Amino acid sequence: MSKLNLKKASFATLCVHGSGGVDEATGALGIPIYQSSTFAFKSAKDGADIFSGEKEGYVYTRIGNPTQAAFEKEMAFLEGAEAALAFGSGMAAISSVILSFCRAGDNFVSSNTLYGGTHNLFMETLPRYNIEAKEVDTTNLENILNSIDDKTRLIYIETPANPTLTITDLAECSKIAKKYNIPLVVDNTFPTPYYQLPLKLGANVVVHSATKYIGGHGDTVAGVVVGKKDYINELRGSFLRDLGGIISPFNAWLLVRGLKTLAVRMDRHEQNAFQVAKFLQFHPKVETVWYPGLSTHPQHDIAKKQMSGFGGMVSFEIKGGCKCGEKLMNSVKLFTLAVSLGDVDSLIEHPASMTHSTYSPEELREVGITESLVRLSVGIEDPADLIEDLSQALKQINI
Ligand SMILES: *Cc1c(COP(=O)(O)O)cnc(C)c1O
């Protein structure tokens, strides 16, 4: 057990120590990987008491596991929440949260600029169960107000949104949610709790693709939900237990390991992203740069108000359209042409044909994901090398 009072610890200290400290049984510095499906009871009565909930204890890894618990404990600390629940992927976390609030016939209001998989869940899969997502431009709060009716069960926001990095005002959304007595759910994958704390801004539930900055090394797929203890218990007892989208002990261990460096990684991601954004902003072959830290970003003031930093994602429109974007992506040497994000390695991709190909051409137009949009996940390499790489790749383009 940690001797520290973790409730008072600062963020970077929590990253290193929040998962619980030295293992009591063995003295191991790191949390062991409890690679076990089942857990022995001390007696028949002990087993019955744990099953009935009268006593705390582990039963079976689909319901709980000590390595998962260490990760969950740390995530709850970092988001300033009562509790957290790990899932096998971001999509397992998101789908379980939506299903926990909605029944057939219900609807919810959501941002229209979303991770492509989330958009597909909302527009293709959930309608099969008669659950309707009303995707609207949530940068304009009127659109949210106009969409709520007596069957609306939650508001779902992604900010900064993937891939255009538009910002939605979370404090204002939470006022709307409170007025209608429905929960506000926020996908906090892009900023991480290091740069944005939605619960402090009035949100009720936070979801993450832990695959991204939480893990940070491009080696794990995972998700997590944080919120009030009662809600997390209900989610564990029904949706994790019944749908079974659990994380493995090994992946939970990788996330605990990843979190130890979250604060230093995010600082470096942001410094590098800022430099890359400024370089691109003045490049003659670049049309527009989308980075919430730039004063030219349309919602820069809201970003400044609700985020303590702007993160490591940069998108931009290249002059000359899709062909030139293709040339750029084939010409980089240090950036890797790959989807996903939040890794220590820098990544480049084309949203319209890759991550956001779940959007129809009309939907892409509506949310401003053009053919010439390029998305960068800026890694933690030397920023001069990253800029040099983009510079040489841009030189190869003939507009
Ligand atoms: C990647 C991503 C998801 C989905 O997470 P998986 O771990 O891939 O299932 C959800 N939201 C955002 C913002 C993402 O970037």
Side-chain angles (χ1 to χ4, degrees):
M1 270 313 262
S2 179
K3 292 176 208 143
L4 285 171
N5 181 355
L6 290 171
K7 291 224 158 67
K8 289 191 176 155
S10 61
F11 194 93
T13 303
L14 276 177
C15 285
V16 180
H17 296 280
S19 63
V22 170
D23 181 49
E24 265 179 72
T26 61
L29 177 63
I31 175 81
I33 303 167
Y34 286 93
Q35 192 67 32
S36 187
S37 56
T38 193
F39 296 84
F41 304 126
K42 291 192 175 71
S43 65
K45 167 122 182 32
D46 186 54
D49 286 349
I50 292 173
F51 254 87
S52 70
E54 262 168 56
K55 203 174 155 186
E56 281 198 17
Y58 294 102
V59 173
Y60 185 66
T61 283
R62 178 156 40 76
I63 301 160
N65 171 290
T67 318
Q68 291 165 13
F71 168 61
E72 289 164 351
K73 184 176 170 188
E74 174 140 18
M75 277 309 298
F77 271 128
L78 295 179
E79 290 279 359
E82 287 179 11
L85 185 60
F87 283 84
S89 69
M91 290 313 302
I94 293 165
S95 54
S96 294
V97 166
I98 302 292
L99 291 174
S100 76
F101 290 119
C102 296
R103 291 163 189 253
D106 290 343
N107 68 60
F108 61 100
V109 180
S110 155
S111 308
N112 61 359
T113 313
L114 293 163
Y115 172 69
T118 307
H119 174 71
N120 199 64
L121 168 72
F122 290 1
M123 301 316 267
E124 298 294 332
T125 305
L126 290 177
R128 290 199 212 171
Y129 304 96
N130 197 17
I131 296 169
E132 184 199 359
K134 299 182 179 184
E135 287 191 6
V136 295
D137 175 2
T138 51
T139 62
N140 179 353
L141 300 163
E142 285 294 311
N143 291 335
I144 303 179
L145 284 165
N146 291 339
S147 305
I148 294 177
D149 61 30
D150 61 353
K151 290 282 186 193
T152 304
R153 297 292 174 245
L154 69 126
I155 301 173
Y156 185 95
I157 302 290
E158 198 176 292
T159 181
N162 185 352
T164 52
L165 300 161
T166 48
I167 306 287
T168 296
D169 190 324
L170 291 179
E172 290 301 320
C173 284
S174 109
K175 281 186 202 156
I176 298 173
K178 287 202 170 61
K179 184 173 161 205
Y180 288 94
N181 203 20
I182 52 178
L184 172 64
V185 179
V186 177
D187 183 333
N188 208 30
T189 301
F190 270 37
T192 80
Y194 189 58
Y195 287 134
Q196 180 168 279
L197 290 167
L199 299 178
K200 280 227 170 80
L201 296 164
N204 305 86
V205 176
V206 170
V207 296
H208 275 278
S209 168
T211 312
K212 317 294 168 53
Y213 289 105
I214 302 292
H217 295 72
D219 51 15
T220 320
V221 173
V224 63
V225 178
V226 301
K228 286 245 190 282
K229 202 170 186 169
D230 287 351
Y231 174 68
I232 293 295
N233 282 344
E234 184 202 321
L235 203 61
R236 186 192 298 278
S238 48
F239 291 89
L240 188 66
R241 186 175 177 148
D242 293 349
L243 299 183
I246 62 160
I247 191 171
S248 71
F250 181 61
N251 281 352
W253 180 84
L254 280 170
L255 297 177
V256 171
R257 181 185 154 111
L259 279 177
K260 288 188 191 273
T261 55
L262 181 69
V264 284
R265 281 190 285 111
M266 292 314 291
D267 277 339
R268 182 59 176 255
H269 279 298
E270 196 205 30
Q271 285 164 20
N272 285 2
F274 240 120
Q275 293 203 36
V276 165
K278 283 181 186 158
F279 161 76
L280 291 170
Q281 199 178 20
F282 298 110
H283 197 285
K285 289 179 186 168
V286 172
E287 189 75 52
T288 322
V289 178
W290 307 106
Y291 183 65
L294 295 177
S295 58
T296 50
H297 186 286
Q299 295 99 29
H300 176 63
D301 287 341
I302 301 169
K304 262 199 321 205
K305 187 180 73 167
Q306 70 188 18
M307 302 172 78
S308 58
F310 307 104
M313 300 299 294
V314 178
S315 291
F316 63 98
E317 306 252 347
I318 193 150
K319 284 186 185 162
C322 194
K323 279 258 160 337
C324 293
E326 229 173 72
K327 179 79 185 158
L328 175 82
M329 282 176 244
N330 289 332
S331 303
V332 286
K333 294 171 183 165
L334 182 52
F335 278 81
T336 303
L337 176 53
V339 301
S340 198
L341 58 105
D343 301 345
V344 290
D345 301 53
S346 290
L347 308 173
I348 188 168
E349 69 112 7
H350 183 238
S353 68
M354 295 172 188
T355 47
H356 290 72
S357 56
T358 53
Y359 280 69
S360 69
E362 298 77 54
E363 287 171 336
L364 286 173
R365 235 190 330 276
E366 210 176 293
V367 302
I369 304 173
T370 64
E371 284 284 315
S372 44
L373 190 76
V374 176
R375 191 189 78 180
L376 303 178
S377 172
V378 181
I380 64 166
E381 300 94 335
D382 188 315
D385 293 343
L386 294 172
I387 288 168
E388 167 54 28
D389 189 36
L390 290 170
S391 175
Q392 68 79 22
L394 283 162
K395 269 202 194 97
Q396 324 244 347
I397 296 170
N398 297 312
I399 296 171

